[in-house]
Coordinates of all heavy atoms in Angstrom, one line a residue:
M3 N -19.9 28.4 -6.9 CA -21.0 28.6 -6.0 C -20.4 29.2 -4.7 O -19.6 28.7 -4.1 CB -21.6 27.3 -5.7 CG -22.8 27.4 -4.7 SD -23.9 26.0 -4.8 CE -22.8 24.6 -4.6
S4 N -20.8 30.4 -4.4 CA -20.3 31.1 -3.2 C -21.4 31.2 -2.2 O -22.6 31.3 -2.5 CB -19.9 32.5 -3.6 OG -21.0 33.3 -3.9
Q5 N -21.0 31.0 -1.0 CA -22.0 31.1 0.1 C -21.9 32.5 0.7 O -20.9 33.0 1.1 CB -21.7 30.1 1.2 CG -22.4 28.8 1.0 CD -22.1 27.8 2.1 OE1 -20.9 27.4 2.2 NE2 -23.1 27.3 2.8
E6 N -23.0 33.1 0.7 CA -23.1 34.5 1.3 C -23.3 34.3 2.8 O -24.2 33.6 3.3 CB -24.2 35.3 0.7 CG -24.0 35.6 -0.8 CD -22.8 36.5 -0.9 OE1 -22.6 37.4 -0.1 OE2 -22.1 36.4 -2.0
V7 N -22.6 35.1 3.6 CA -22.8 35.1 5.0 C -23.1 36.5 5.4 O -22.7 37.5 4.8 CB -21.6 34.5 5.8 CG1 -21.4 33.1 5.5 CG2 -20.4 35.3 5.5
Q8 N -23.7 36.6 6.6 CA -24.1 38.0 7.1 C -23.6 38.0 8.6 O -23.5 36.9 9.2 CB -25.6 38.2 7.0 CG -26.1 38.2 5.6 CD -27.6 38.5 5.6 OE1 -28.3 38.1 6.5 NE2 -28.1 39.0 4.5
V9 N -23.5 39.2 9.1 CA -23.2 39.3 10.5 C -24.3 38.7 11.3 O -25.5 38.9 11.0 CB -23.0 40.8 10.9 CG1 -22.9 41.0 12.4 CG2 -21.8 41.4 10.2
G10 N -23.9 37.9 12.2 CA -24.9 37.2 13.1 C -25.1 35.7 12.7 O -25.7 35.0 13.4
D11 N -24.6 35.4 11.5 CA -24.7 34.0 11.1 C -23.7 33.2 11.9 O -22.6 33.6 12.3 CB -24.3 33.8 9.6 CG -25.4 34.2 8.7 OD1 -26.5 34.4 9.1 OD2 -25.2 34.2 7.4
R12 N -24.0 31.9 12.1 CA -23.0 31.0 12.7 C -22.5 30.1 11.5 O -23.2 29.7 10.7 CB -23.7 30.1 13.8 CG -23.9 30.9 15.0 CD -24.5 30.1 16.1 NE -25.8 29.6 15.6 CZ -26.2 28.3 15.9 NH1 -25.4 27.5 16.5 NH2 -27.3 27.9 15.4
V13 N -21.2 29.9 11.6 CA -20.6 29.1 10.5 C -19.8 28.0 11.1 O -19.3 28.0 12.3 CB -19.7 29.9 9.6 CG1 -20.5 31.0 8.9 CG2 -18.6 30.6 10.4
R14 N -19.6 26.9 10.3 CA -18.7 25.8 10.8 C -17.5 25.7 9.8 O -17.7 25.8 8.6 CB -19.6 24.5 10.6 CG -18.9 23.3 11.3 CD -19.9 22.2 11.3 NE -21.1 22.5 12.1 CZ -21.4 21.8 13.2 NH1 -20.7 20.8 13.6 NH2 -22.5 22.2 13.9
L15 N -16.3 25.7 10.4 CA -15.1 25.6 9.6 C -14.6 24.2 9.5 O -15.0 23.3 10.3 CB -14.1 26.5 10.2 CG -14.4 28.0 10.3 CD1 -13.2 28.8 10.8 CD2 -14.9 28.6 9.0
R16 N -13.7 24.0 8.6 CA -13.2 22.6 8.4 C -12.3 22.1 9.5 O -12.2 20.9 9.7 CB -12.4 22.6 7.0 CG -13.3 22.8 5.9 CD -12.5 22.7 4.6 NE -13.4 23.1 3.5 CZ -14.3 22.4 2.9 NH1 -14.5 21.1 3.4 NH2 -15.1 22.8 2.0
K17 N -11.6 23.0 10.1 CA -10.7 22.6 11.2 C -11.1 23.3 12.5 O -11.5 24.4 12.5 CB -9.3 23.1 10.9 CG -8.6 22.2 9.8 CD -7.2 22.6 9.7 CE -6.5 21.7 8.7 NZ -5.1 21.9 8.5
P18 N -11.0 22.6 13.6 CA -11.5 23.2 14.8 C -10.5 24.2 15.4 O -9.3 24.1 15.1 CB -11.5 21.9 15.8 CG -10.5 21.0 15.2 CD -10.5 21.2 13.7
H19 N -11.0 25.1 16.1 CA -10.1 26.0 16.9 C -9.4 25.2 17.9 O -9.8 24.1 18.3 CB -11.0 27.1 17.6 CG -10.3 28.3 18.1 ND1 -10.5 28.7 19.3 CD2 -9.4 29.1 17.5 CE1 -9.7 29.8 19.5 NE2 -9.1 30.0 18.4
P20 N -8.2 25.7 18.3 CA -7.5 24.9 19.4 C -8.3 24.6 20.6 O -8.0 23.6 21.3 CB -6.3 25.8 19.7 CG -6.0 26.6 18.5 CD -7.4 26.8 17.8
C21 N -9.3 25.4 20.9 CA -10.2 25.1 22.0 C -11.1 23.9 21.8 O -11.8 23.4 22.7 CB -11.0 26.3 22.4 SG -12.4 26.7 21.4
G22 N -11.2 23.5 20.5 CA -12.1 22.3 20.2 C -13.4 22.6 19.5 O -14.1 21.7 19.1
S23 N -13.7 23.9 19.3 CA -15.0 24.3 18.7 C -14.8 24.5 17.2 O -13.9 25.0 16.7 CB -15.5 25.6 19.3 OG -16.6 26.0 18.7
Y24 N -15.8 24.0 16.5 CA -15.9 24.2 15.1 C -16.8 25.4 14.7 O -16.9 25.8 13.6 CB -16.5 22.9 14.4 CG -15.6 21.8 14.3 CD1 -15.4 20.9 15.3 CD2 -14.8 21.5 13.1 CE1 -14.6 19.8 15.2 CE2 -14.0 20.5 13.0 CZ -13.9 19.6 14.0 OH -13.0 18.5 13.9
E25 N -17.5 25.9 15.7 CA -18.5 26.9 15.4 C -18.1 28.3 15.7 O -17.5 28.5 16.7 CB -19.8 26.6 16.1 CG -20.5 25.3 15.6 CD -21.9 25.2 16.2 OE1 -22.4 26.1 16.8 OE2 -22.4 24.1 16.0
W26 N -18.4 29.2 14.7 CA -18.0 30.6 14.9 C -19.2 31.4 14.6 O -20.0 31.1 13.7 CB -16.9 30.9 13.9 CG -15.6 30.1 14.1 CD1 -15.4 28.8 13.7 CD2 -14.4 30.5 14.7 NE1 -14.2 28.4 14.1 CE2 -13.5 29.4 14.7 CE3 -14.0 31.7 15.3 CZ2 -12.2 29.5 15.3 CZ3 -12.7 31.8 15.9 CH2 -11.9 30.7 15.9
L27 N -19.2 32.6 15.2 CA -20.2 33.6 14.9 C -19.6 34.7 14.0 O -18.5 35.2 14.3 CB -20.7 34.3 16.2 CG -21.7 35.4 16.1 CD1 -23.1 34.8 15.6 CD2 -21.9 36.1 17.4
V28 N -20.2 35.1 12.9 CA -19.7 36.1 12.1 C -20.0 37.5 12.7 O -21.2 37.8 13.0 CB -20.4 36.0 10.7 CG1 -19.9 37.2 9.8 CG2 -20.2 34.7 10.0
V29 N -19.0 38.2 13.0 CA -19.1 39.5 13.7 C -18.8 40.7 12.9 O -19.0 41.8 13.2 CB -18.3 39.5 15.0 CG1 -18.8 38.5 16.0 CG2 -16.8 39.3 14.7
R30 N -18.2 40.4 11.7 CA -17.8 41.5 10.8 C -17.7 41.0 9.4 O -17.1 40.0 9.2 CB -16.5 42.1 11.3 CG -16.0 43.3 10.5 CD -14.6 43.7 10.9 NE -13.8 44.0 9.8 CZ -12.6 44.6 9.9 NH1 -12.1 45.0 11.1 NH2 -11.9 44.9 8.8
I31 N -18.2 41.8 8.5 CA -18.0 41.5 7.1 C -17.4 42.8 6.4 O -17.8 43.9 6.6 CB -19.4 41.3 6.4 CG1 -20.1 40.2 7.0 CG2 -19.2 41.1 4.9 CD1 -19.7 38.8 6.7
G32 N -16.3 42.5 5.7 CA -15.6 43.6 5.1 C -14.6 43.0 4.1 O -14.8 42.0 3.6
A33 N -13.4 43.7 4.0 CA -12.3 43.1 3.3 C -11.9 41.8 3.9 O -11.5 40.8 3.3 CB -11.2 44.1 3.2
D34 N -12.1 41.8 5.3 CA -11.8 40.6 6.0 C -13.1 40.2 6.7 O -14.0 41.0 6.9 CB -10.8 40.8 7.1 CG -9.4 41.1 6.5 OD1 -9.1 40.5 5.5 OD2 -8.8 42.0 7.1
I35 N -13.2 38.9 7.0 CA -14.3 38.4 7.7 C -14.0 38.2 9.2 O -13.0 37.5 9.5 CB -14.8 37.0 7.2 CG1 -14.9 37.0 5.6 CG2 -16.0 36.5 7.8 CD1 -16.1 37.9 5.2
G36 N -14.7 38.8 10.1 CA -14.4 38.7 11.5 C -15.3 37.5 12.1 O -16.5 37.5 11.9
L37 N -14.6 36.7 12.8 CA -15.3 35.5 13.4 C -15.0 35.5 14.9 O -13.9 35.8 15.3 CB -14.8 34.2 12.8 CG -15.0 34.1 11.3 CD1 -14.3 32.8 10.8 CD2 -16.4 34.0 10.9
K38 N -16.0 35.1 15.6 CA -15.8 34.9 17.1 C -16.1 33.4 17.4 O -17.1 32.9 17.1 CB -16.8 35.8 17.8 CG -16.6 35.8 19.3 CD -17.6 36.7 20.0 CE -17.5 36.6 21.5 NZ -18.5 37.5 22.1
C39 N -15.1 32.8 18.1 CA -15.3 31.4 18.5 C -16.5 31.3 19.5 O -16.6 32.1 20.4 CB -14.0 30.9 19.1 SG -14.1 29.2 19.7
Q40 N -17.3 30.3 19.2 CA -18.5 30.1 20.0 C -18.2 29.5 21.3 O -19.1 29.4 22.2 CB -19.6 29.3 19.2 CG -20.2 30.1 18.1 CD -21.0 31.3 18.6 OE1 -22.1 31.2 18.8 NE2 -20.3 32.5 18.7
K41 N -17.0 28.9 21.5 CA -16.7 28.3 22.8 C -15.9 29.1 23.7 O -16.2 29.3 24.8 CB -16.0 26.9 22.5 CG -15.8 26.1 23.7 CD -15.3 24.7 23.3 CE -15.1 23.9 24.6 NZ -14.5 22.6 24.2
C42 N -14.8 29.7 23.1 CA -13.8 30.4 24.0 C -14.0 31.9 23.8 O -13.4 32.7 24.6 CB -12.4 29.9 23.8 SG -11.7 30.4 22.2
G43 N -14.7 32.3 22.8 CA -14.9 33.8 22.6 C -13.8 34.5 21.9 O -13.9 35.8 21.8
R44 N -12.8 33.8 21.5 CA -11.7 34.5 20.8 C -12.1 35.0 19.4 O -12.9 34.3 18.7 CB -10.5 33.6 20.7 CG -9.4 34.2 19.9 CD -8.1 33.7 20.4 NE -7.0 34.3 19.7 CZ -5.8 33.8 19.6 NH1 -5.5 32.7 20.2 NH2 -4.8 34.4 18.9
R45 N -11.7 36.2 19.0 CA -12.0 36.7 17.7 C -10.8 36.6 16.7 O -9.7 36.7 17.1 CB -12.3 38.2 17.8 CG -13.7 38.4 18.5 CD -13.9 39.9 18.7 NE -15.1 40.1 19.4 CZ -16.1 40.9 19.0 NH1 -16.0 41.5 17.9 NH2 -17.2 41.0 19.7
V46 N -11.1 36.2 15.5 CA -10.1 36.2 14.5 C -10.6 36.9 13.2 O -11.8 37.1 13.1 CB -9.7 34.7 14.1 CG1 -9.2 33.9 15.3 CG2 -10.9 34.0 13.4
L47 N -9.7 37.3 12.4 CA -10.0 37.9 11.1 C -9.4 37.0 10.0 O -8.2 36.6 10.1 CB -9.4 39.3 11.0 CG -10.1 40.4 11.7 CD1 -9.2 41.7 11.5 CD2 -11.5 40.6 11.1
L48 N -10.2 36.7 9.0 CA -9.8 35.9 7.9 C -10.1 36.7 6.6 O -11.1 37.3 6.5 CB -10.5 34.6 7.8 CG -10.3 33.6 8.9 CD1 -11.2 32.3 8.7 CD2 -8.8 33.2 9.0
D49 N -9.1 36.7 5.7 CA -9.5 37.4 4.4 C -10.5 36.5 3.7 O -10.6 35.3 4.0 CB -8.3 37.8 3.6 CG -7.5 36.6 3.1 OD1 -8.2 35.7 2.4 OD2 -6.3 36.5 3.2
R50 N -11.2 37.1 2.7 CA -12.3 36.4 2.1 C -11.9 35.1 1.5 O -12.6 34.1 1.6 CB -13.0 37.3 1.1 CG -13.8 38.4 1.7 CD -14.4 39.3 0.7 NE -15.3 40.2 1.4 CZ -16.6 39.9 1.5 NH1 -17.1 38.8 1.1 NH2 -17.4 40.8 2.1
G51 N -10.7 35.1 0.8 CA -10.3 33.8 0.2 C -10.0 32.7 1.2 O -10.4 31.6 1.0
E52 N -9.4 33.1 2.3 CA -9.1 32.2 3.4 C -10.4 31.7 4.0 O -10.5 30.5 4.3 CB -8.2 32.8 4.4 CG -7.6 31.9 5.4 CD -6.6 30.9 4.8 OE1 -6.0 31.2 3.8 OE2 -6.4 29.8 5.3
F53 N -11.3 32.6 4.2 CA -12.6 32.2 4.8 C -13.3 31.2 3.9 O -13.8 30.2 4.4 CB -13.4 33.5 5.0 CG -14.8 33.2 5.5 CD1 -15.0 32.8 6.8 CD2 -15.9 33.3 4.7 CE1 -16.3 32.5 7.3 CE2 -17.2 33.0 5.2 CZ -17.3 32.7 6.5
R54 N -13.3 31.4 2.6 CA -14.0 30.5 1.7 C -13.3 29.1 1.7 O -14.0 28.1 1.7 CB -13.9 31.0 0.3 CG -15.2 31.8 -0.1 CD -15.3 31.9 -1.6 NE -14.2 32.5 -2.3 CZ -14.0 33.8 -2.4 NH1 -14.9 34.6 -2.0 NH2 -12.9 34.2 -3.0
K55 N -12.0 29.1 1.8 CA -11.3 27.8 1.9 C -11.6 27.1 3.2 O -11.7 25.8 3.2 CB -9.8 28.0 1.8 CG -9.3 28.1 0.4 CD -7.8 27.9 0.4 CE -7.0 29.1 1.1 NZ -5.6 29.0 0.9
R56 N -11.8 27.8 4.3 CA -12.0 27.1 5.5 C -13.4 26.8 5.8 O -13.8 26.0 6.7 CB -11.4 28.0 6.7 CG -10.0 28.2 6.6 CD -9.4 28.7 7.9 NE -8.1 29.2 7.8 CZ -7.3 29.6 8.8 NH1 -7.8 29.6 10.0 NH2 -6.1 30.0 8.6
L57 N -14.3 27.5 5.2 CA -15.7 27.4 5.5 C -16.3 26.0 5.1 O -16.0 25.5 4.0 CB -16.5 28.5 4.7 CG -18.1 28.4 4.9 CD1 -18.4 28.8 6.4 CD2 -18.7 29.4 4.0
K58 N -16.9 25.4 6.0 CA -17.5 24.1 5.7 C -19.0 24.2 5.5 O -19.6 23.7 4.6 CB -17.2 23.1 6.8 CG -17.7 21.7 6.5 CD -17.3 20.7 7.6 CE -17.7 19.3 7.2 NZ -17.4 18.4 8.3
A59 N -19.7 25.0 6.4 CA -21.1 25.1 6.3 C -21.6 26.3 7.0 O -20.9 26.8 8.0 CB -21.8 23.9 6.9
V60 N -22.6 26.9 6.5 CA -23.3 28.0 7.2 C -24.4 27.4 8.0 O -25.3 26.7 7.5 CB -23.8 29.1 6.3 CG1 -24.6 30.2 7.0 CG2 -22.7 29.7 5.5
I61 N -24.4 27.7 9.3 CA -25.5 27.2 10.1 C -26.6 28.3 10.1 O -26.4 29.3 10.7 CB -25.0 26.9 11.6 CG1 -23.8 25.9 11.5 CG2 -26.2 26.4 12.4 CD1 -23.1 25.9 12.8
Q62 N -27.6 28.0 9.4 CA -28.7 29.1 9.3 C -29.3 29.4 10.7 O -29.4 28.5 11.5 CB -29.7 28.6 8.3 CG -29.2 28.4 6.9 CD -28.7 29.6 6.3 OE1 -29.0 30.7 6.7 NE2 -27.8 29.5 5.3
P63 N -29.7 30.6 10.8 CA -30.4 30.9 12.1 C -31.5 30.0 12.3 O -32.3 29.7 11.4 CB -30.8 32.4 11.9 CG -30.0 32.9 10.8 CD -29.6 31.7 9.9
A64 N -31.7 29.5 13.5 CA -32.7 28.5 13.8 C -34.1 29.1 13.6 O -34.5 29.8 14.4 CB -32.5 27.9 15.2
E65 N -34.7 28.7 12.5 CA -36.1 28.9 12.4 C -36.9 27.7 12.8 O -36.8 26.7 12.0 CB -36.4 29.3 10.9 CG -36.0 30.7 10.5 CD -36.8 31.8 11.1 OE1 -37.9 31.5 11.5 OE2 -36.3 32.9 11.1
P66 N -37.5 27.7 13.9 CA -38.1 26.4 14.3 C -39.2 26.0 13.3 O -40.1 26.8 13.0 CB -38.7 26.7 15.7 CG -38.8 28.2 15.7 CD -37.7 28.8 14.8
P67 N -39.1 24.8 12.8 CA -40.2 24.3 11.9 C -41.5 24.2 12.6 O -41.5 23.8 13.8 CB -39.7 23.0 11.4 CG -38.7 22.5 12.5 CD -38.1 23.8 13.1
A68 N -42.5 24.5 11.9 CA -43.9 24.4 12.5 C -44.1 23.0 12.8 O -44.0 22.1 12.0 CB -44.9 24.9 11.5
P69 N -44.5 22.7 14.1 CA -44.8 21.3 14.4 C -46.0 20.8 13.7 O -46.9 21.5 13.5 CB -45.0 21.4 16.0 CG -45.4 22.8 16.2 CD -44.7 23.6 15.1
S70 N -45.9 19.6 13.3 CA -47.0 19.0 12.6 C -47.8 18.1 13.4 O -47.3 17.5 14.4 CB -46.5 18.3 11.3 OG -45.6 17.3 11.7
Ligands
ZN106 ZN1 -12.1 28.7 20.5

């Protein structure tokens, strides 16, 4: 089961960045996956295999549920 991500998705990785954040923004999809830390703004590139290993969850874009 593979999780598809797109530019603009937010993802959560298994290990935190040294700054303490688990959340990253997907900024590039290619041979490598470009990620930008949501706390400190640092960018990293992970190859697809490494990205899959580190990926914990995709945080879907917030679609606010219709209030009932
Ligand atoms: Zn960071």
